[in-house]
Amino acid sequence: MAAAAAPEEPEPGGSFRRYVARLGALRPQPGAERPDDGRRRTELHLLFDQLISESCGPAPAAGPSPQDVCALLVQACQLVHLDQEHLVSKVCQLIHHLLNRFQVMVDEQNLNFLLSYCISALKQCSSWTHVEILQALAALVYNNGPKCQKYLPDLLGKTGLLVQFSDSTQPDVELRRAAVRSMANLCLSVPGQPYLDESYRSVCFQTFLSVLQSSKTSDVDDITFCMLLQNALKGIQSLLNGGKMKLMQTDQIGSLLAVLKKCMFHGLPGLSIEVPAALYPAPLPQYDKRSPVKQEQSELAAFKQTGNRRKKSKGKQKKGEFGEEGREDLGDAGNESVLGADMLKLHLGNVQSSPYSDPRTRASDVAYVPAGKDRLSSHCTSWKRISSSESEYSDAEGGIQSKMRSYQANVRQGALACFLSAIKSIEKRVLYGYWSAFVPDAPGIGSPQSVSLMTIALKDPSPKTRACALQVLSAILEGSKQFLSVAEDANDHKRAFTPFSVTIASSIRELHRCLLLALVAESSSQTLTQIVKCLANLVSNAPYSRLKPGLLTRVWNQIKPYICHKDVNVRVSSLTLLGAIVSVQAPLPEVQLLLQQPSSSGLNNSGSATPHRFNASEQWRKAVPSEEEPTDNPAGCTSSEPCWLLRLCVSIVVLPREDSCSDSDANFPSFSSVYEPCPLRLESLQVLALLVKGYFSMAQSYFLELGEVACRCMEEMDPSIQLHGAKLLEELGTGVLQQYKPDSAVAPDQRVPVSVVVTFWTVILNGPLPGTLQNSPHATLQTSACDALSSILPEAFSSLQNDQQILCVTLLLGLNHSENPLVKAAAARALGVYILFPCLRQDVMFVADTANAILNSLHDKSPNVRAKAAWSLGNLTDTLIINMETMGQSFQEEFSDLLLLKMLRSATEASKDRDKVKSNAVRALGNVLHFLQPYHIANPRFREAIEESLQALISTVQSEATMKVRWNACYALGNVFKNPALPLGEAPWTTQAYSALSSVVKSCKNFKVRIKSAMALSIPSKRECYGSAEQFCQIWSALVVALQKSEDTEDFLEFKYSASLRTQICQALLHLLSLAKSTDLPVIWETITEHGNAIKSYVLQYLKSGVEENEAGVQTDLCERERVLKGATEHLSGIEKQLEGKARVRVSVYLEDVLTNHASATELTEA
């Protein structure tokens, strides 16, 4: 009846409102309950049957409103008494079907009523109804966990219903599965809402774990068991993701990883493994102390930054993939998914074949298999033929085996998804203890290959599962640089045992071998993308400088053909991998050789490979004038055969697309029809930037051409292309700056000539860069353009035309007033670079304008802007000192007193800011106080500011700030002591300054801070500057104590600075001795009497050490050290003689004895 009337109801949900009305009509009237009971029950049966059958049909275009669905369900429950069990079963089926079908979230009021009904039903109704009731409960609590708080004791308490029904002793597996599913849905997190209490989380975790640890009994069918495992896995995944659960206890981690390993291989054809109840970690000694070296962290950060800038394409999830578990699937596709589009939403369309006739024939390129491993590689193709199809299994034949395999694959995928969440919940140093359980190692001769994630990647018939395994392996490899850094197999070891370093090296080699095998055997484009991404992660973390060469060569040759694969994602990830190769530990000799290979090498007979495009179109590469070409390319790359990778990337960026190579571009509708797809061009630009950064000697032959490429990119409309063009520009500028550094190892005739650099920047400044800086609406692009402008070579800047120099300065000063903090920070930093240019720093007007701009930024609300401005202020004050030393009083008199006072006050205020600002603020304070002239110090307006700034420096030295801040504060006080105009030794702050430095030199944990404090104490040039005899003697005693403690450290890493510390302290002690007065001698002699032998041994060591560059950057040779000691001896000898008949101390005699011992030791050495 309802079905017939449906077409007459065009409004959405009309039929539902009729059902609600019919249910309302069945509401019992007072006094007429019992007589109508039988008829009403029959009508309810019919009505529920109609509703259930309609909810199972095809989805309508517009479903009913959530309010209508909730109203219908509440009315239905009100009409059904709990003693009418058949109707209770049907109403629960109705709740399950309607909420799942129309994706309705029940509001709190209706949820309370419906949950109370279900819980009461579970308590009162017969056990045969419990499965349907639990299904209804699962649908109700889905994404409603925070609203169910008051029902949790009934459900998850010690005797909670869900805890009872999910117990391992529960004989009915369907009932147990339904209970576990409800529990898993309760564990889903809702953003912005409180999560389950810890006690309930623990109950759920243990329940899920016991389910996963259980074995299938003979009376349970495979599909039901698979669904039970799936629900438990999703529950654990929800706990790990939503609950931000941190796995800390070893037994908890070991048990979870053991069941995940078991489920990862569940139902994998041809494999049967026994996994222990718990896995145990191997001890990793290298994680005992420090975090990895900062340089390596920055390398990793740089690679991650380049690898994640493009948007990933999102495919659709295969409908109905999880059978009845539809509502749970939607949870995975939503907030609960940690795998993202690449894992749970992998598009599983038609199988795409390899771009070449048969990539498996290329296995010879990776078959660098030692003896005993041939068996594994020879069977790699047969593993993939377990199934007749490479796509996910369909159930078209209706075969139970096919359906079962599909459910087993879902379990494996669920386990891998859960593992990925677990990786994020376990500390890396703990996770790597389980490395050998999941990462392959080379098998011993005669022993079988151990099962690992690579087993799934190579053998699993489901491409989606293979992709999942590879994504998990990628997550394990990400951030593994410190762990893998111990690997070493460069030297053949011949020992009775295998060192840990060799074991890890073997594992790295096996990973390369297996991933390259997977690469040539894979035909699914989505899985292929994951293989290449995984290789990129491996490459960026492996310590190739400690391994035998050859690994990168195999990867390089194997990936070349995939650069013109028909799938854009494969091409993009292939370029990412090449970018990883040229950025890892650059420059590597092996990679330099690869970059020098002819274009055709490594491509075999794959005629469609990209490099041949250059033969047809070379317009990007204009001939460089012969005088600009380096006569002998330092990288050995001949001008007749340009770098293959560089040509490839440039062609992708600037040449028109080749349609035959990009048939999957329908996924990228915004692409221009002229060029290659945008992600491909962006990745090519990133690879170019990495190539220039790591192998500039090779890229410099194409310096002007690459500048032209950057210009062309910045002229395009797409801001992401413009951004990467600006980043390439910055790398080119930075590469030249590195060549011209004073300590550069590049010979002058091997550098890019200044004339070429001038031409380069002239073209850039006449091109799109100024327009981008002035008009771009994109702050990130302006920031990168600003960074690029700051990478100009000072020697080239001075040779630019005057109007271009003014343009650069004007742009930066203007951008310093930007409202965007990113742009403002970049402009402030760039001004800090320009202020050091010799041609600009002597211009008083430019220095004043820059100072005002920087001081403006120093008061910005953004911490990043203030940090950059403080760094630039430090540079500006360095310039003041340089100008004072080179230009004399003329510059000091021209510079505004008012501006100087403003700088002093601003730097004092900044010294109270956060550490990143403070470290450079104290540096600036030291310079400004050094720069002040007598008339400044006499000026009443300066007096208060000077006192405040000195107090700020002293308190910073004594503070608990970071070591860099304290190091700079000590350095700054040393700078203050250099100003003869300051009343050093007379003013009250002098005592405080010396006391602070004396304390630090004795007790600071950081030796570099101690070195700087010792250096500062040795700077005053006159005895009067040290104040009273008492103060002088305190400084002397502190230095003697510091000398004796120069080897005392709890941190082994500080020990390497102890020699420099002793050198600096000895210099300070000799300096004090050369200035000492007669009133100072008694305390000095007392110290020598007490600690003479120790002091003598350190001074002899200091004299003996010869030419040594200490931490202060001062080089003192052997003769200079002896001369200072002799000078101190003569000075003290003269003072002691003046004491005449008074009690004489014999310090000079002690020093003469030291000199004699040193001379004797030198003679013995020479003899």
Side-chain angles (χ1 to χ4, degrees):
M1 185 173 71
E8 298 172 19
E9 293 280 354
E11 72 276 8
S15 60
F16 248 78
R17 279 193 282 276
R18 280 200 312 281
Y19 281 122
V20 174
R22 287 175 62 189
L23 282 169
L26 291 171
R27 189 180 294 276
Q29 300 301 318
E33 257 181 67
R34 285 299 163 198
D36 299 331
D37 192 49
R39 184 171 61 81
R40 193 164 56 84
R41 191 179 300 183
T42 305
E43 283 197 38
L44 282 173
H45 273 293
L46 287 170
L47 200 55
F48 290 164
D49 287 341
Q50 282 182 325
L51 274 166
I52 290 169
S53 88
E54 280 199 17
S55 71
C56 293
S65 69
Q67 293 83 357
D68 286 345
V69 175
C70 291
L72 185 145
L73 293 175
V74 169
Q75 285 226 33
C77 290
Q78 286 171 340
L79 288 168
V80 177
H81 297 291
L82 295 179
D83 57 353
Q84 300 169 327
E85 293 189 345
H86 283 90
L87 282 175
V88 169
S89 174
K90 278 192 180 175
V91 84
C92 287
Q93 287 179 46
L94 194 60
I95 292 171
H96 172 64
H97 283 296
L98 291 182
L99 294 183
N100 274 315
R101 170 73 183 285
F102 300 114
Q103 296 302 303
V104 172
M105 297 296 295
V106 184
D107 62 276
E108 192 161 1
Q109 183 181 349
N110 289 320
L111 181 68
N112 284 335
F113 174 79
L114 293 170
L115 270 180
S116 296
Y117 184 86
C118 289
I119 290 170
S120 299
L122 281 172
K123 289 177 178 177
Q124 295 179 35
C125 295
S126 303
S127 59
W128 70 267
T129 62
H130 287 174
V131 171
E132 283 79 11
I133 299 170
L134 285 170
Q135 285 178 342
L137 185 72
L140 285 167
V141 301
Y142 179 83
N143 267 347
N144 265 330
K147 298 175 190 171
C148 305
Q149 293 296 322
K150 64 181 177 183
Y151 300 102
L152 292 179
D154 280 336
L155 296 171
L156 299 177
K158 283 188 177 179
T159 57
L161 295 166
L162 295 182
V163 176
Q164 290 178 34
F165 293 141
S166 60
D167 191 76
S168 57
T169 57
Q170 174 57 245
D172 186 344
V173 178
E174 276 293 348
L175 184 60
R176 189 182 184 199
R177 187 181 78 79
V180 170
R181 181 179 175 184
S182 298
M183 196 180 279
N185 282 0
L186 267 174
C187 293
L188 288 168
S189 67
V190 178
Q193 296 292 320
Y195 197 62
L196 284 176
D197 288 342
E198 180 60 42
S199 58
Y200 294 131
R201 270 186 267 181
S202 179
V203 167
C204 293
F205 184 80
Q206 287 306 319
T207 301
F208 298 141
L209 202 59
S210 65
V211 168
L212 295 173
Q213 286 169 336
S214 62
S215 301
K216 189 180 87 67
T217 53
S218 56
D219 58 331
V220 180
D221 71 279
D222 288 312
I223 289 178
T224 304
F225 188 67
C226 284
M227 291 163 78
L228 175 65
L229 293 177
Q230 257 185 280
N231 289 323
L233 287 165
K234 287 183 180 179
I236 287 185
Q237 191 180 352
S238 297
L239 285 171
L240 293 171
N241 293 347
K244 301 289 185 289
M245 185 175 176
K246 287 293 175 191
L247 297 169
M248 305 296 285
Q249 298 167 2
T250 304
D251 56 343
Q252 192 183 45
I253 296 169
S255 300
L256 177 60
L257 293 182
V259 294
L260 290 180
K261 183 166 184 178
K262 185 175 79 168
C263 294
M264 273 163 41
F265 297 101
H266 182 76
L268 187 62
L271 193 69
S272 177
I273 63 164
E274 288 293 327
V275 179
L279 299 177
Y280 295 98
L284 302 175
Q286 78 268 35
Y287 278 100
D288 285 351
K289 267 288 181 185
R290 286 284 183 125
S291 58
V293 185
K294 283 185 180 177
Q295 179 189 356
E296 298 209 334
Q297 284 181 335
S298 63
E299 282 177 24
L300 180 63
F303 176 67
K304 281 168 75 175
Q305 189 179 23
T306 59
N308 294 327
R309 291 260 170 91
R310 61 190 179 281
K311 291 182 180 177
K312 298 177 182 176
S313 65
K314 293 186 178 181
K316 294 180 181 176
Q317 186 172 1
K318 197 172 182 182
K319 189 178 177 182
E321 199 156 35
F322 292 89
E324 295 176 23
E325 310 295 308
R327 193 165 179 86
E328 295 179 7
D329 297 344
L330 287 160
D332 277 352
N335 297 331
E336 289 305 310
S337 172
V338 292
L339 298 176
D342 288 320
M343 192 158 182
L344 283 182
K345 293 186 182 177
L346 279 174
H347 180 60
L348 303 168
N350 293 332
V351 177
Q352 296 181 335
S353 59
S354 179
Y356 303 108
S357 56
D358 184 5
R360 290 173 175 79
T361 61
R362 296 186 46 75
S364 59
D365 288 359
V366 282
Y368 54 107
V369 188
K373 297 183 189 172
D374 295 336
R375 180 170 53 82
L376 185 65
S377 57
S378 64
H379 290 301
C380 70
T381 52
S382 65
W383 293 342
K384 297 299 172 64
R385 298 200 176 104
I386 294 164
S387 158
S388 60
S389 167
E390 277 295 310
S391 63
E392 295 288 0
Y393 296 109
S394 67
D395 200 18
E397 314 84 8
I400 192 70
Q401 286 299 318
S402 178
K403 186 177 180 182
M404 186 182 75
R405 285 199 298 269
S406 179
Y407 275 94
Q408 288 172 338
N410 288 341
V411 171
R412 297 197 296 275
Q413 289 159 26
L416 290 163
C418 198
F419 192 3
L420 198 58
S421 297
I423 288 170
K424 296 174 182 176
S425 305
I426 302 172
E427 277 189 78
K428 284 284 186 180
R429 64 184 184 85
V430 175
L431 177 67
Y432 292 134
Y434 300 92
W435 173 273
S436 59
F438 298 99
V439 181
D441 188 15
I445 296 173
S447 62
Q449 179 82 36
S450 61
V451 290
S452 66
L453 286 164
M454 278 312 305
T455 311
I456 302 171
L458 286 164
K459 290 189 177 185
D460 202 293
S462 157
K464 183 175 177 181
T465 313
R466 296 199 296 272
C468 289
L470 290 158
Q471 198 161 22
V472 172
L473 183 56
S474 272
I476 291 174
L477 288 170
E478 191 171 336
S480 61
K481 183 170 285 188
Q482 183 188 0
F483 172 66
L484 297 181
S485 66
V486 300
E488 184 169 22
D489 71 349
N491 302 314
D492 290 328
H493 73 98
K494 294 178 180 177
R495 305 177 195 171
F497 65 96
T498 304
F500 182 63
S501 58
V502 175
T503 303
I504 296 297
S506 168
S507 187
I508 292 172
R509 288 190 167 278
E510 185 67 5
L511 268 175
H512 280 79
R513 189 181 75 85
C514 291
L515 284 169
L516 291 179
L517 273 176
L519 185 71
V520 295
E522 188 57 66
S523 56
S524 161
S525 295
Q526 287 77 22
T527 312
L528 203 53
T529 303
Q530 289 299 333
I531 293 170
V532 182
K533 284 180 179 178
C534 195
L535 269 169
N537 244 337
L538 173 60
V539 166
S540 60
N541 287 287
Y544 292 100
S545 56
R546 295 167 61 91
L547 302 174
K548 288 177 184 173
L551 288 176
L552 286 173
T553 303
R554 295 179 187 105
V555 175
W556 178 277
N557 290 334
Q558 202 64 25
I559 202 62
K560 273 187 175 182
Y562 292 91
I563 289 160
C564 60
H565 193 276
K566 62 183 178 181
D567 186 276
V568 173
N569 290 320
V570 175
R571 298 173 69 193
V572 170
S573 55
S574 300
L575 282 169
T576 305
L577 174 53
L578 288 168
I581 292 173
V582 297
S583 63
V584 64
Q585 297 161 20
L588 284 173
E590 183 179 357
V591 177
Q592 280 189 318
L593 289 171
L594 290 172
L595 290 169
Q596 293 167 28
Q597 281 182 357
S599 302
S600 57
S601 69
L603 291 171
N604 291 2
N605 56 359
S606 306
S608 62
T610 305
H612 84 277
R613 302 156 70 162
F614 298 100
N615 301 333
S617 183
E618 288 270 6
Q619 68 264 34
W620 67 271
R621 175 149 170 56
K622 295 182 178 178
V624 182
S626 56
E627 67 270 18
E628 293 173 359
E629 285 272 14
T631 53
D632 178 22
N633 193 324
C637 183
T638 61
S639 56
S640 60
E641 186 63 71
C643 170
W644 168 80
L645 183 58
L646 190 142
R647 294 180 65 200
L648 166 73
C649 293
V650 170
S651 75
I652 290 172
V653 173
V654 304
L655 297 187
R657 68 190 294 172
E658 289 188 0
D659 291 335
S660 62
C661 287
S662 306
D663 67 350
S664 60
D665 300 344
N667 297 327
F668 306 97
S670 61
F671 294 158
S672 161
S673 58
V674 179
Y675 293 113
E676 292 283 9
C678 186
L680 201 60
R681 299 181 72 208
L682 291 176
E683 201 61 47
S684 296
L685 283 166
Q686 290 184 40
V687 174
L688 280 176
L690 291 169
L691 186 61
V692 169
K693 183 178 182 179
Y695 298 86
F696 186 76
S697 59
M698 187 153 300
Q700 73 180 69
S701 301
Y702 319 103
F703 185 67
L704 292 179
E705 295 86 330
L706 289 171
E708 184 190 336
V709 171
C711 270
R712 285 181 61 168
C713 291
M714 292 180 71
E715 286 166 352
E716 291 193 25
M717 299 301 292
D718 186 334
S720 57
I721 296 287
Q722 291 177 303
L723 174 68
H724 284 80
K727 287 189 178 298
L728 175 59
L729 193 58
E730 183 189 355
E731 290 297 350
L732 288 164
T734 305
V736 175
L737 282 173
Q738 296 293 334
Q739 284 193 335
Y740 280 84
K741 272 189 170 181
D743 57 351
S744 171
V746 182
D749 62 338
Q750 298 288 299
R751 299 172 185 172
V752 179
V754 173
S755 59
V756 174
V757 184
V758 172
T759 305
F760 174 87
W761 283 106
T762 302
V763 171
I764 299 297
L765 292 169
N766 288 331
L769 186 63
T772 302
L773 286 165
Q774 287 171 303
N775 307 318
S776 174
H778 302 283
T780 313
L781 176 57
Q782 275 189 308
T783 302
S784 284
C786 219
D787 290 339
L789 194 61
S790 70
S791 68
I792 187 168
L793 183 71
E795 291 89 332
F797 184 87
S798 60
S799 300
L800 289 174
Q801 293 178 5
N802 199 42
D803 59 337
Q804 288 185 322
Q805 291 185 13
I806 293 169
L807 172 66
C808 291
V809 171
T810 308
L811 284 170
L812 292 178
L813 288 170
L815 287 171
N816 199 72
H817 297 286
S818 169
E819 292 180 3
N820 186 286
L822 285 174
V823 178
K824 193 168 184 176
R829 180 192 165 276
L831 285 171
V833 173
Y834 275 45
I835 197 68
L836 296 174
F837 286 5
C839 62
L840 290 176
R841 70 179 178 221
Q842 296 180 355
D843 182 340
V844 176
M845 290 305 296
F846 172 72
V847 174
D849 288 343
T850 302
N852 280 312
I854 289 170
L855 292 177
N856 167 268
S857 294
L858 198 60
H859 296 101
D860 195 86
K861 62 183 180 183
S862 163
N864 187 40
V865 172
R866 297 200 303 275
K868 300 292 185 190
W871 179 80
S872 295
L873 183 63
N875 284 5
L876 187 143
T877 55
D878 285 345
T879 292
L880 295 184
I881 301 301
I882 294 168
N883 287 343
M884 179 178 76
E885 292 168 352
T886 55
M887 298 171 67
Q889 274 196 307
S890 61
F891 181 86
Q892 288 168 299
E893 289 167 359
E894 282 184 64
F895 197 76
S896 161
D897 290 356
L898 197 62
L899 183 56
L900 199 62
L901 182 60
K902 193 177 172 185
M903 287 167 66
L904 193 60
R905 285 176 175 158
S906 295
T908 304
E909 193 61 34
S911 71
K912 299 165 189 168
D913 204 332
R914 56 182 66 194
D915 283 356
K916 283 190 175 180
V917 180
K918 193 184 290 186
S919 63
N920 283 298
V922 293
R923 175 165 73 104
L925 276 179
N927 282 330
V928 174
L929 290 167
H930 182 191
F931 182 80
L932 294 176
Q933 298 305 298
Y935 64 87
H936 293 132
I937 295 162
N939 189 329
R941 287 193 303 174
F942 273 84
R943 199 167 295 149
E944 186 183 349
I946 291 171
E947 182 65 32
E948 284 182 11
S949 60
L950 284 164
Q951 290 302 325
L953 282 180
I954 292 164
S955 63
T956 306
V957 169
Q958 294 172 315
S959 71
E960 292 301 315
T962 58
M963 295 310 165
K964 184 179 179 183
V965 173
R966 298 177 73 186
W967 184 90
N968 274 353
C970 292
Y971 184 85
L973 275 179
N975 252 342
V976 172
F977 295 165
K978 290 177 184 176
N979 190 342
L982 288 168
L984 193 60
E986 300 168 15
W989 57 263
T990 307
T991 305
Q992 295 170 287
Y994 286 135
S995 175
L997 291 169
S998 298
S999 173
V1000 166
V1001 80
K1002 290 186 292 186
S1003 59
C1004 185
K1005 290 179 182 177
N1006 186 281
F1007 276 21
K1008 291 175 84 172
V1009 175
R1010 290 201 211 180
I1011 289 166
K1012 283 300 169 193
S1013 59
M1015 187 197 77
L1017 289 170
S1018 66
I1019 282 174
S1021 55
K1022 297 177 181 175
R1023 171 61 188 83
E1024 296 76 42
C1025 296
Y1026 286 101
S1028 66
E1030 184 185 0
Q1031 189 166 280
F1032 182 91
C1033 294
Q1034 282 175 354
I1035 295 168
W1036 165 267
S1037 300
L1039 287 168
V1040 170
V1041 172
L1043 188 62
Q1044 291 174 297
K1045 287 185 173 181
S1046 61
E1047 292 178 1
D1048 297 349
T1049 176
E1050 294 175 8
D1051 189 345
F1052 181 74
L1053 293 177
E1054 292 297 326
F1055 193 75
K1056 62 184 176 183
Y1057 299 114
S1058 61
S1060 296
L1061 174 59
R1062 283 193 295 275
T1063 297
Q1064 193 61 62
I1065 293 173
C1066 286
Q1067 285 178 2
L1069 286 171
L1070 292 179
H1071 177 72
L1072 289 176
L1073 287 172
S1074 65
L1075 297 177
K1077 295 194 300 187
S1078 59
T1079 51
D1080 306 323
L1081 292 182
V1083 174
I1084 293 174
W1085 178 245
E1086 185 183 331
T1087 313
I1088 288 174
T1089 306
E1090 193 175 345
H1091 306 290
N1093 290 335
I1095 296 171
K1096 182 190 284 187
S1097 66
Y1098 286 125
V1099 173
L1100 284 171
Q1101 191 180 356
Y1102 163 72
L1103 293 171
K1104 179 184 170 186
S1105 58
V1107 180
E1108 180 180 341
E1109 185 173 354
N1110 61 26
E1111 196 60 24
V1114 181
Q1115 283 196 341
T1116 50
D1117 61 26
L1118 191 62
C1119 298
E1120 172 66 15
R1121 294 181 183 189
E1122 279 187 43
R1123 189 185 63 74
V1124 171
L1125 180 57
K1126 283 177 182 174
T1129 307
E1130 289 167 6
H1131 167 72
L1132 291 171
S1133 178
I1135 291 173
E1136 288 167 358
K1137 283 176 183 174
Q1138 288 172 12
L1139 291 174
E1140 295 172 351
K1142 299 174 187 176
R1144 292 179 60 184
V1145 291
R1146 309 299 298 274
V1147 179
S1148 59
V1149 176
Y1150 172 81
L1151 294 180
E1152 284 169 3
D1153 184 44
V1154 172
L1155 270 171
T1156 306
N1157 282 3
H1158 172 63
S1160 304
T1162 307
E1163 287 172 12
L1164 282 171
T1165 306
E1166 289 173 357

